[in-house]
Amino acid sequence: MTTRSETRTTLDHLLTEIEHRNPAQPEFHQAAHEVLETLAPVVAARPEYAEPGLIERLVEPERQVLFRVPWQDDKGRVHVNRGFRVEFNSALGPYKGGLRFHPSVNLGVIKFLGFEQIFKNALTGLGIGGGKGGSDFDPHGRSDAEVMRFCQSFMTELHRHIGEHTDVPAGDIGVGGREIGYLFGQYRRITNRWEAGVLTGKGQGWGGSLIRPEATGYGNVLFAAAMLRERGEDLEGQTAVVSGSGNVAIYTIEKLAALGANAVTCSDSSGYVVDEKGVDVELLKQVKEVERGRVDTYAERRGSSARFVPGGSVWDVPADLALPSATQNELDENAAATLIRNGVKAVSEGANMPATPEAVHLLQKAGVAFGPGKAANAGGVAVSALEMAQNHARTSWTAAKVEEELADIMNNIHTTCHETAERYDAPGDYVTGANIAGFERVADAMLAQGVI
Ligand code: NDP
């Protein structure tokens, strides 16, 4: 039997190899480090996981598709963007994961997101593999017609690679209900098939699930509540600092209010808003979702309780809880130190990998409950899988039923992470718990299915 330290050395070699074979992909390296660094105890304890090639296969995507996306703007000028779909692992089910449209998108970003997605999807227990895609297209400031032409061009290539039993994309940064609509329309036109289960996050009149838009934010709040419960506390009366003002942030703020807590901030890439009375979620929806405006407009309309701070760090605002809900590496070591100084009790990741490794380390060392994204924000993909189930059965569930399922799934994920961490001598460490529990499910399926 190999010892933990021998296993750690093997995993360290593998990480060096990953960096060497995937140059210029820092986000992917970061995600691989974050997972592999926690696996030594389980690999040492279960000799089958030390089988040569198992982890090497896990860190190599099954398929990576890169393609050209040409489109014309409203003035007739041609633009050329790059499209990506990384089909990472299908041992547990069809590849599943969102599409991100943002100028920062590159292969390394999509691979980090796809890698995370493997373990997140495994944790839901719903039979979905991991994948992710997107483009370096920037939808900000584009007309609806431009976004439609872009989506149509993107899908004209992507359609060859997806399908309800193969690969099922959804939304992410820059891809919401509008984009999913244009993408689905083009898929239907090209294939001449009503294949509802090929995309999730659809509109409610044409195959979408109730509570899908809310699911990631609601799920993260439920995960934070479960972490607090474990420490004998609840959400009632707690204040929260939330970053972002998109899909995840909005429904995080909504659910916090519904459970008696108060989110006092929101943000976008221009700065942040502090609202002493608590963010008015209906006004925020109007500004961001209907008018596609910026958070400074929210502050202007809200009146004296709110002020807009251009630039700056939203994490400077004191609160009991922090729920980062914008993007990767938005909460660094300095921000973590400020949160700790201000007495934060729990940090729960709505975004993917928003806290840097140094920040996570600092928070855990200070005894702050820390919910990693692959567990805490899994509610979105979980309800996407429920959307696929409803599409398959040609039925649609009530909001109450979907919410009940979501709550069960989030509580199960919390329990699984918590118990797994205890089993591997890391009580209260949800990072280790989530990584090992997700890994065990995927690794067992990969071993059973042979070397493919
Ligand atoms: P949206 O596009 O709806 O909103 C993104 C928000 O984050 C906007 O307020 C945006 O501001 C801000 N943001 C994005 N990039 C940056 C940046 N580089 N710097 C500062 N602010 C930024 O995306 P979502 O809410 O869907 O996604 C947010 C996060 O949650 C992402 O990490 C995503 O991967 C993760 N996630 C989303 C799920 C979902 O179901 N949608 C599921 C699980 C995780 P601005 O408009 O100024 O760019």
Side-chain angles (χ1 to χ4, degrees):
M1 179 154 158
T2 43
T3 64
R4 281 188 189 186
S5 82
E6 283 164 347
T7 309
R8 212 161 274 133
T9 308
T10 311
L11 292 171
D12 283 346
H13 282 145
L14 187 53
L15 282 165
T16 309
E17 174 86 4
I18 290 169
E19 288 178 13
H20 186 66
R21 276 168 61 89
N22 303 277
Q25 296 182 358
E27 293 86 357
F28 176 55
H29 302 166
Q30 186 181 333
H33 269 271
E34 194 263 336
V35 172
L36 267 56
E37 274 166 5
T38 58
L39 294 185
V42 68
V43 176
R46 308 260 310 261
E48 66 273 29
Y49 293 151
E51 182 180 292
L54 173 68
I55 300 180
E56 284 86 343
R57 284 191 285 138
L58 189 62
V59 297
E60 187 68 25
E62 291 176 15
R63 190 174 300 104
Q64 307 180 55
V65 187
L66 267 81
F67 52 96
R68 181 172 71 200
V69 191
W71 57 281
Q72 276 183 300
D73 67 20
D74 289 343
K75 297 203 169 86
R77 275 191 304 255
V78 174
H79 300 256
V80 180
N81 284 100
R82 201 168 270 176
F84 302 88
R85 187 72 186 165
V86 172
E87 298 179 332
F88 225 118
N89 192 299
S90 60
L92 293 178
Y95 311 105
K96 181 94 197 81
L99 297 171
R100 175 177 292 191
F101 292 169
H102 192 272
S104 63
V105 163
N106 57 40
L107 185 59
V109 167
I110 298 298
K111 280 176 66 180
F112 119 63
L113 290 163
F115 187 66
E116 285 275 298
Q117 199 82 44
I118 303 170
F119 305 97
K120 179 188 310 191
N121 293 4
L123 283 172
T124 68
L126 293 172
I128 38 180
K132 198 82 186 189
S135 173
D136 55 2
F137 171 71
D138 186 357
H140 285 113
R142 291 290 170 196
S143 69
D144 284 353
E146 289 174 326
V147 170
M148 180 179 76
R149 284 195 293 276
F150 175 81
C151 289
Q152 290 174 340
S153 180
F154 185 85
M155 184 53 87
T156 300
E157 175 59 33
L158 186 71
H159 88 276
R160 306 172 210 286
H161 311 288
I162 61 175
E164 64 179 321
H165 300 297
T166 312
D167 183 356
V168 184
D172 191 81
I173 291 178
V175 178
R178 172 182 62 171
E179 291 74 18
I180 293 290
Y182 295 147
L183 291 163
F184 185 74
Q186 185 73 349
Y187 183 85
R188 187 168 60 73
R189 184 180 193 191
I190 293 175
T191 59
N192 191 27
R193 254 199 325 264
W194 181 271
E195 189 185 329
V198 69
L199 288 171
T200 58
K202 298 181 293 295
Q204 256 131 49
W206 43 279
S209 175
L210 289 164
I211 307 297
R212 174 61 189 91
E214 294 86 346
T216 309
Y218 279 19
N220 188 26
V221 175
L222 296 175
F223 193 89
M227 290 197 298
L228 287 176
R229 240 187 345 265
E230 200 55 51
R231 299 174 164 222
E233 291 207 52
D234 65 23
L235 278 173
E236 184 80 42
Q238 313 269 8
T239 54
V241 52
V242 175
S243 63
S245 51
N247 170 270
V248 177
I250 285 173
Y251 292 103
T252 297
I253 293 167
E254 184 167 284
K255 191 66 171 178
L256 283 166
L259 296 180
N262 201 14
V264 291
T265 63
C266 60
S267 71
D268 60 24
S269 51
S270 65
Y272 67 90
V273 168
V274 193
D275 190 334
E276 280 155 23
K277 281 198 202 149
V279 175
D280 174 345
V281 80
E282 292 311 319
L283 177 59
L284 186 62
K285 283 183 192 172
Q286 173 64 28
V287 171
K288 296 297 294 192
E289 291 186 330
V290 180
E291 300 169 21
R292 297 187 184 275
R294 315 293 292 161
V295 289
D296 57 344
T297 305
Y298 168 90
E300 271 165 34
R301 296 223 194 124
R302 176 70 163 146
S304 61
S305 75
R307 74 192 156 87
F308 173 66
V309 182
S313 168
V314 70
W315 312 116
D316 290 344
V317 179
D320 303 309
L321 314 171
L323 296 106
S325 308
T327 193
Q328 64 269 13
N329 294 328
E330 55 164 314
L331 195 167
D332 64 11
E333 201 175 6
N334 290 334
T338 307
L339 287 171
I340 293 164
R341 249 193 332 273
N342 288 335
V344 76
K345 299 172 187 167
V347 176
S348 202
E349 295 187 319
N352 285 308
M353 212 167 74
T356 63
E358 297 77 21
V360 177
H361 180 70
L362 211 59
L363 290 164
Q364 289 186 318
K365 213 170 92 192
V368 175
F370 179 78
K374 62 171 75 65
N377 71 35
V381 75
V383 173
S384 273
L386 302 181
E387 182 173 327
M388 290 161 72
Q390 292 169 72
N391 293 155
H392 194 70
R394 290 193 179 281
T395 186
S396 100
W397 300 346
T398 61
K401 177 170 166 62
V402 182
E403 268 211 78
E404 203 178 302
E405 295 274 343
L406 173 64
D408 278 353
I409 291 167
M410 295 314 299
N411 283 329
N412 284 339
I413 294 175
H414 174 269
T415 306
T416 302
C417 296
H418 193 262
E419 290 179 355
T420 307
E422 298 226 313
R423 196 151 40 92
Y424 287 96
D425 307 325
D429 178 352
Y430 292 95
V431 175
T432 295
N435 288 344
I436 293 183
F439 170 78
E440 285 178 321
R441 288 180 186 170
V442 182
D444 288 347
M446 288 175 73
L447 287 171
Q449 293 171 28
V451 178
I452 51 158

